[in-house]
Amino acid sequence: MEQNRENNNVNKRQDHRRSRRPIPRDKHKSIYISMVIPLLNEEESLEELALALEGELNDIANEKWEVLFIDDGSSDNSYEIIKRIHSRNQNFKCIRFRRNYGKSAALAVGFQAARGKLIGTMDADLQDDPKELKRMVDTINQGWDLVSGWKKVRHDPISKTLPSKFFNYVTSKTSGIRLHDFNCGFKMYRREVAKRLQVYGEMHRYLPALAHWDGFKVTEIPVTHHARPYGVSKFGLSRFLYGFLDLLTVMFTTRYMKRPLHFFGLLGTLFVILGLSVDTFLAVEWAMGLTYLSERPLFLMGIAFIIVGVQFISMGLLGELIIKNSFKQQNYNIQERLL
C-alpha cells in the first residue's frame, strides 16, 4: 500500500512538470495560405485591406492562413496600424525594414518567412481585389504552379499603361512565355515555387519567367483592378529602363548560366563573320585594282569586328571553364525521386 502511494506521488510530480513545459507556438498549426504584402507608406489603406483579406481568407482557408506585411522602410504610421491589426488578429504579422530596400527584397524576405502551402502576393494600395483570391486558388488546384494576375482593365494614367504595354510585349517575346501583365503584383504560388525563386535587385517583375524557365507551369487570369483610393504610386518611369536591363540579366543568368559559350559565342561568331565579309570584299576589290586599302577606313572596321568577335568567343570559353569547375552547377529543379 505504501509503495502504491509513493508511485502515485511520483506520477503526480511528473505530470505537474510536464504541464509546466512551454508549448511551442504554432507548432501544430497547419498554414494553408500565406499572403505576402510589401508596402511603403500605405497607412490609409491598411485597415480596409486587412478587413477584406480577413473575410476572404476565412472563407477559403478556414482560419488556416497568415498575412505577412513587409514594411519596406515606411516613414508614416503604417507600422503602428499593422501592430493594431495584429493585436486584434494575430494571423496578421509584419516584418519591418530599417530602410527602403525595394519590392524584390521585401518579397524575398516574405517568401522565406511564409509557412503556407500556397503563397500569394498583392499590393497594399487597394488596387488589387481580395475577392479574386478564390479564383486564384481554384486555378492553382487545377494543376498550375504559379498563377499571375492580368489587369485587363486598368485604372491607371496613360503615363503608366502605355509604357507598361510596350514593356510586357517585349518581355513576352523575349522570355518565350506569353503573359499580358508581368508587372502585376497579384500572384499565387505553390510553396515549392516561391521557396526556390531567387528574388533580388528588381527581379520581381520577372518571377513568372523565372518560374517558367525553371520548369514550373505558369498561367494568368484576368483580375479586377481598382483605381488607387489613397496616396500616389511609388514607382516612376525609370522602372521601365531598369526593367529592360534586368531582363537582360534574367535571360543571361537563366538561359545561359550553364552554357555561357552559347551566348558569347553567338555574338562573337556574328562579329567575326561580319568582319571577315567586309575585309574579304575589300580584299577582292584591291586585288582587282579597283581600290586602295589605305583609302578605305571600312577595312579597319572589319578588322575591329574580327577582334571583338574573338574576344567574345574567348569570354564564352572562360565562362565555360568557370562553370565546369563550379560546385553549384548541379542546381537542377528535381520534381520527385524514385530510387
Side-chain angles (χ1 to χ4, degrees):
M1 180 69 70
E2 189 67 28
Q3 183 67 31
N4 290 337
R5 287 178 182 173
E6 184 176 351
N7 289 338
N8 289 335
N9 290 334
V10 170
N11 291 335
K12 288 180 180 179
R13 287 195 298 270
Q14 290 176 344
D15 291 339
H16 179 66
R17 283 196 296 269
R18 290 193 200 103
S19 65
R20 295 179 60 186
R21 292 175 185 169
I23 300 175
R25 185 180 180 183
D26 291 337
K27 182 177 180 181
H28 303 292
K29 187 175 181 180
S30 175
I31 300 297
Y32 176 43
I33 297 179
S34 296
M35 292 300 300
V36 177
I37 304 179
L39 64 103
L40 175 64
N41 296 334
E42 299 288 357
E43 59 181 359
E44 299 95 343
S45 62
L46 291 174
E47 288 280 6
E48 185 176 345
L49 177 62
L51 290 174
L53 283 172
E54 187 173 3
E56 293 298 323
L57 290 172
N58 279 335
D59 289 341
I60 298 171
N62 191 25
E63 298 289 344
K64 296 180 180 180
W65 56 270
E66 64 180 357
V67 173
L68 296 171
F69 289 113
I70 312 298
D71 186 350
D72 191 17
S74 295
S75 57
D76 62 1
N77 292 322
S78 294
Y79 186 65
E80 297 302 320
I81 293 173
I82 293 172
K83 287 199 296 184
R84 188 161 66 240
I85 295 171
H86 172 76
S87 64
R88 186 185 76 241
N89 186 338
Q90 295 189 4
N91 285 356
F92 290 94
K93 304 165 186 178
C94 184
I95 297 174
R96 186 186 190 190
F97 289 168
R98 288 187 180 274
R99 67 173 181 84
N100 178 248
Y101 287 96
K103 191 171 184 178
S104 289
L107 289 176
V109 171
F111 286 164
Q112 184 180 12
R115 298 181 299 155
K117 295 180 180 178
L118 300 181
I119 299 176
T121 62
M122 66 187 304
D123 295 333
D125 54 11
L126 295 177
Q127 290 192 277
D128 298 328
D129 195 332
K131 293 180 180 179
E132 300 287 359
L133 284 173
K134 188 176 188 309
R135 292 178 55 234
M136 285 195 160
V137 172
D138 291 341
T139 305
I140 285 281
N141 290 334
Q142 292 172 10
W144 298 96
D145 298 310
L146 190 160
V147 178
S148 182
W150 171 20
K151 295 173 287 189
K152 193 171 183 179
V153 179
R154 292 190 62 172
H155 297 277
D156 286 323
I158 192 171
S159 60
K160 291 183 65 176
T161 57
L162 192 60
S164 182
K165 286 183 178 180
F166 178 70
F167 170 81
N168 286 314
Y169 175 79
V170 174
T171 304
S172 180
K173 291 294 184 182
T174 307
S175 65
I177 176 173
R178 301 301 176 89
L179 296 183
H180 295 86
D181 194 352
F182 284 85
N183 248 336
C184 182
F186 204 0
K187 294 180 174 67
M188 185 69 67
Y189 307 77
R190 290 190 187 274
R191 176 183 176 86
E192 56 268 25
V193 182
K195 296 295 185 180
R196 181 172 174 82
L197 289 174
Q198 296 180 351
V199 195
Y200 63 94
E202 297 294 325
M203 296 301 175
H204 60 272
R205 302 182 181 92
Y206 302 107
L207 294 182
L210 291 171
H212 170 71
W213 286 335
D214 209 14
F216 294 108
K217 293 186 290 184
V218 180
T219 189
E220 69 177 353
I221 60 173
V223 294
T224 303
H225 184 251
H226 300 289
R228 173 186 273 271
Y230 309 106
V232 295
S233 174
K234 311 303 187 298
F235 299 99
L237 292 177
S238 60
R239 66 174 177 163
F240 295 108
L241 172 61
Y242 298 145
F244 286 115
L245 296 177
D246 291 331
L247 179 60
L248 296 178
T249 303
V250 169
M251 288 184 60
F252 183 74
T253 56
T254 52
R255 288 189 172 185
Y256 301 104
M257 177 62 76
K258 302 292 190 297
R259 41 184 180 153
L261 186 58
H262 289 202
F263 179 78
F264 291 109
L266 177 61
L267 292 177
T269 301
L270 292 175
F271 273 102
V272 169
I273 291 174
L274 182 59
L276 287 174
S277 300
V278 170
D279 286 351
T280 301
F281 174 75
L282 293 176
V284 170
E285 283 194 338
W286 172 79
M288 296 174 63
L290 300 176
T291 187
Y292 293 99
L293 296 181
S294 60
E295 299 176 354
R296 303 298 297 271
L298 193 59
F299 183 73
L300 296 178
M301 183 177 293
I303 294 176
F305 281 151
I306 294 174
I307 293 173
V308 171
V310 171
Q311 289 179 332
F312 271 122
I313 294 173
S314 300
M315 290 174 62
L317 290 171
L318 289 174
E320 291 287 342
L321 290 175
I322 294 172
I323 291 297
K324 294 296 182 184
N325 292 279
S326 174
F327 290 105
K328 295 183 179 180
Q329 62 177 332
Q330 300 298 328
N331 184 23
Y332 302 122
N333 186 7
I334 299 173
Q335 183 173 0
E336 57 184 299
R337 298 177 187 266
L338 184 62
L339 301 174

